[in-house]
């Protein structure tokens, strides 16, 4: 069955450092991979989308990579700030699918 | 900036009662969704809706659930006979529908459903 795995433990980093979050998937070949941020008690908020033919995508301090051979996406936040503390969710999607199947998420804590 | 709204923010009900959760998607969006998140667990897909019919549903979305777009702006989730295990945060979302998997989804703030 299709499986999505994200760092199971919380990631604690110091302000100013780069946070790197991992999303691994098995048993399917997504055409897209979306990343969302979720704050406690709130709905997910879209951050970035990367297509299978894109190796890397950037938006301000965020960078996403997509390695279809490794079946992995990495999500980087550079110059991290305490306001970046949240749970980050990845969701691989098929070409004609729009059902978001999220991983369990990685909790990021940025300390000042 | 346009946003998805949901009402109520918190609903408390007795087991066996019917509840209706309401959502107003972003006005020019074509696809609508319901997701749920049980406390401490991951966000789970329930159903997607397009052109006035269900386009996909999960195993969770059984006969006790139904969705409807009663007018041009509202999108509702009805749970017919609530169970204790239906207690969760329910999120509505919408997307433009231009490229399906390539569309970002906009989520509402959620309705916390508590079944006693």
């Amino acid at each position: 069955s299709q499986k999505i795995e994200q760092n199971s433990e919380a990631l604690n980093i110091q302000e100013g450092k780069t946070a790197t979050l991992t999303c691994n998937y098995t048993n399917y070949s997504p055409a897209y991979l979306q990343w969302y941020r979720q704050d406690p008690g709130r709905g997910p908020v879209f951050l970035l989308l990367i297509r299978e033919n894109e190796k890397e995508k950037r938006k301000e301090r965020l960078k996403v990579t997509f390695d279809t051979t490794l079946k992995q996406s990495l999500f980087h936040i550079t110059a991290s700030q305490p306001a970046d503390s949240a749970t980050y969710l990845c969701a691989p999607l098929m070409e004609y699918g729009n059902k978001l199947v999220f991983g369990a998420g990685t909790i990021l804590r940025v300390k000042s | 900036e346009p946003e998805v709204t949901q009402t109520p923010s918190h609903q408390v009900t007795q087991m066996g009662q019917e509840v209706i959760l309401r959502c107003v998607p972003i006005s020019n969006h074509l696809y609508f969704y319901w997701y749920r998140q049980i406390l401490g667990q991951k966000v789970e897909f329930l159903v997607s809706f397009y052109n006035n019919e269900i386009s996909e549903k999960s195993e969770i979305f059984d006969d006790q659930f139904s969705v409807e777009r009663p007018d041009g702006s509202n999108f509702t989730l009805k749970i017919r006979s609530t169970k204790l295990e239906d207690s969760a945060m329910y999120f509505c979302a919408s997307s433009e529908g231009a490229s399906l998997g390539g569309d970002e989804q906009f989520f509402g703030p959620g309705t916390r459903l508590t079944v006693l």
Side-chain angles (χ1 to χ4, degrees):
Chain A
S1 62
Q2 296 173 349
K3 201 172 171 185
I4 303 161
E5 290 182 347
Q6 297 188 247
N7 309 63
S8 56
E9 294 182 11
L11 183 63
N12 295 296
I13 63 166
Q14 203 63 35
E15 182 177 7
K17 300 292 187 186
T18 296
T20 299
L21 287 67
T22 305
C23 176
N24 294 299
Y25 56 91
T26 52
N27 295 327
Y28 63 137
S29 300
Y32 306 91
L33 202 142
Q34 298 191 12
W35 282 88
Y36 286 76
R37 167 188 173 136
Q38 186 178 27
D39 291 284
R42 311 285 293 270
V45 175
F46 173 81
L47 294 174
L48 275 173
L49 173 148
I50 188 165
R51 293 173 171 78
E52 61 178 337
N53 61 352
E54 296 175 317
K55 294 283 187 204
E56 182 180 296
K57 196 86 168 277
R58 290 176 187 262
K59 180 181 174 184
E60 297 171 354
R61 294 185 296 112
L62 309 180
K63 183 178 88 171
V64 173
T65 62
F66 194 5
D67 189 325
T68 55
T69 303
L70 291 179
K71 294 187 179 290
Q72 181 182 80
S73 175
L74 298 179
F75 181 83
H76 307 271
I77 306 175
T78 58
S80 58
Q81 303 165 0
D84 296 326
S85 299
T87 298
Y88 290 84
L89 312 174
C90 71
L93 291 105
M94 306 304 285
E95 177 70 39
Y96 297 108
N98 54 1
K99 169 180 81 173
L100 289 173
V101 178
F102 288 107
T106 298
I107 298 171
L108 174 67
R109 297 191 192 105
V110 182
K111 299 185 180 178
S112 56
Chain B
E1 187 174 324
E3 58 181 18
V4 175
T5 59
Q6 291 185 243
T7 54
S9 56
H10 192 188
Q11 173 94 45
V12 180
T13 190
Q14 294 290 324
M15 192 169 56
Q17 295 296 303
E18 174 183 288
V19 294
I20 297 176
L21 310 184
R22 292 182 166 80
C23 169
V24 178
I26 294 172
S27 62
N28 64 334
H29 285 185
L30 301 178
Y31 279 85
F32 315 121
Y33 314 84
W34 285 101
Y35 294 83
R36 80 170 186 191
Q37 187 172 31
I38 295 169
L39 189 64
Q41 298 188 24
K42 60 183 178 180
V43 177
E44 299 175 290
F45 170 80
L46 291 178
V47 66
S48 59
F49 191 85
Y50 170 73
N51 200 25
N52 278 322
E53 59 183 34
I54 290 173
S55 53
E56 191 169 0
K57 60 182 181 179
S58 71
E59 291 175 355
I60 303 167
F61 194 88
D62 61 21
D63 291 344
Q64 68 161 152
F65 291 94
S66 62
V67 289
E68 193 179 26
R69 187 147 163 86
D71 53 44
S73 58
N74 290 285
F75 178 52
T76 62
L77 174 69
K78 182 191 290 186
I79 309 175
R80 251 178 284 284
S81 177
T82 50
K83 303 175 194 148
L84 294 176
E85 55 265 36
D86 293 328
S87 295
M89 182 76 100
Y90 287 80
F91 295 108
C92 174
S94 68
S95 65
E96 287 183 355
S99 63
L100 293 177
D103 283 344
E104 66 177 278
Q105 293 187 20
F106 292 80
F107 283 75
T111 292
R112 179 162 299 286
L113 176 65
T114 302
V115 182
L116 303 176

